């Protein structure tokens, strides 16, 4: 464990709970893409199948349980409890256009052709594009609530911190995973446009609104 | 990856 990965994991945890609290407190999921949340739930479920078979540490197991539970809870709040506030008219990204190609790629490009490894690879590839429905929804509505932009900033920062973690681990531990690094770069690059808007607008107390 | 196959990251 290193500081980049620890802060990255905490940033990820913060993002998930900021979103969960926003929906719970405001009793509304306006402006939030349910499709992205479904993809994130799929990412965690396919990645953490080794939860009971491969014990790493209390921290590792605890975080896996929290990530799965909080994301499933978010999907539940969006599609069941506060379904009436779900903005399906703007959450129209065709996620099958993400899941199918990512699934095919996981079969073709992986470290080891075994079910658990292919599912892990699928999860890594899917996570790199899972935010697209959310970014697409913001581009359609033309703006995002401030709390939603904080959610996105924390979520985008987590994988950017993981990139620093992989640089650290490469030089100090000789650890390198090309699949995770490439997917992590794609994932972080997708946030660049948002990071620019967040830093130039939200940081100065303005609302995040995309140029019309 | 160059390290053991152990997946120790979240």
């Amino acid at each position: 464990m290193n500081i980049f990965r620890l802060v990255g994991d905490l940033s990820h945890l913060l993002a998930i709970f900021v979103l969960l609290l926003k929906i719970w407190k405001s009793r509304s999921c306006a402006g939030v893409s349910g499709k992205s949340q479904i993809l994130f739930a799929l990412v965690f479920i396919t990645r953490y199948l080794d939860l009971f078979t491969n014990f790493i540490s209390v921290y590792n197991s605890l975080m896996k349980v929290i990530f799965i539970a909080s994301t499933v809870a978010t999907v539940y709040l969006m599609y069941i409890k506060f379904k009436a506030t779900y903005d399906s008219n703007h959450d129209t990204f065709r996620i099958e256009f993400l899941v199918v190609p990512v699934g095919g790629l996981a079969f073709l490009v992986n470290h080891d052709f075994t079910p658990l490894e292919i599912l892990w690879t699928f999860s890594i590839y899917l996570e790199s594009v899972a935010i697209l429905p959310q970014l697409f929804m913001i581009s359609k509505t033309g703006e995002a609530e401030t709390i939603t932009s904080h959610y996105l900033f924390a979520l985008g920062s987590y994988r950017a911190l993981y990139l620093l973690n992989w640089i650290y681990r490469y030089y100090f531990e000789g650890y390198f995973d090309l699949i995770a690094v490439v997917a992590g770069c794609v994932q972080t690059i997708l946030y660049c446009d948002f990071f620019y808007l967040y830093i130039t607008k939200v940081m100065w107390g303005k609302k995040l609104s995309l140029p019309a | 990856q160059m390290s053991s196959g152990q997946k120790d990251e979240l």
Side-chain angles (χ1 to χ4, degrees):
Chain A
M1 177 58 80
N2 59 68
I3 187 67
F4 303 112
R5 184 144 61 103
L6 182 60
V7 175
D9 288 341
L10 296 178
S11 178
H12 196 184
L13 196 65
L14 178 68
I16 292 174
F17 279 92
V18 159
L19 183 68
L20 200 52
L21 275 175
K22 171 244 184 293
I23 296 173
W24 180 255
K25 288 281 183 199
S26 67
R27 303 182 73 75
S28 161
C29 50
V32 180
S33 165
K35 297 191 171 188
S36 277
Q37 295 311 312
I38 288 173
L39 292 178
F40 285 125
L42 195 56
V43 163
F44 292 133
I45 289 166
T46 53
R47 187 174 306 179
Y48 299 154
L49 291 171
D50 63 350
L51 176 61
F52 301 109
T53 59
N54 179 16
F55 179 77
I56 305 281
S57 67
V58 172
Y59 169 83
N60 187 271
S61 299
L62 185 63
M63 291 292 265
K64 286 176 176 177
V65 169
I66 293 172
F67 282 168
I68 290 176
S70 53
T71 305
V72 168
T74 303
V75 171
Y76 164 76
L77 290 183
M78 292 194 69
Y79 283 96
I80 298 176
K81 194 157 178 61
F82 301 127
K83 184 178 176 57
T85 65
Y86 171 55
D87 181 4
S88 56
N89 298 320
H90 289 109
D91 191 13
T92 55
F93 197 99
R94 303 285 302 278
I95 54 176
E96 53 272 34
F97 291 166
L98 294 176
V99 174
V100 174
V102 158
L105 188 64
F107 257 89
L108 295 173
V109 181
N110 53 60
H111 290 312
D112 187 22
F113 200 75
T114 60
L116 216 52
E117 187 68 24
I118 289 174
L119 282 170
W120 177 84
T121 308
F122 168 76
S123 160
I124 292 288
Y125 293 154
L126 185 62
E127 187 189 5
S128 63
V129 292
I131 201 61
L132 282 176
Q134 180 65 66
L135 297 177
F136 180 73
M137 183 175 190
I138 290 175
S139 71
K140 281 192 79 174
T141 55
E143 63 170 13
E145 284 179 41
T146 302
I147 190 75
T148 309
S149 53
H150 293 323
Y151 157 72
L152 283 170
F153 183 73
L155 193 61
S157 305
Y158 127 74
R159 213 59 178 175
L161 285 161
Y162 255 70
L163 295 178
L164 299 179
N165 152 65
W166 286 321
I167 294 170
Y168 176 93
R169 294 192 75 180
Y170 180 71
Y171 283 113
F172 292 95
E173 301 170 20
Y175 173 93
F176 181 68
D177 183 337
L178 184 63
I179 285 177
V181 169
V182 171
C185 289
V186 168
Q187 183 169 339
T188 304
I189 287 168
L190 290 177
Y191 282 84
C192 285
D193 174 38
F194 164 77
F195 280 144
Y196 172 76
L197 289 169
Y198 183 85
I199 289 167
T200 55
K201 289 195 174 175
V202 179
M203 287 278 204
W204 306 111
K206 292 192 200 124
K207 194 172 178 58
L208 184 98
S209 58
L210 300 181
Chain B
Q1 59 271 27
M2 288 161 65
S3 75
S4 69
Q6 190 87 340
K7 296 218 183 307
D8 62 349
E9 293 185 343
L10 288 175

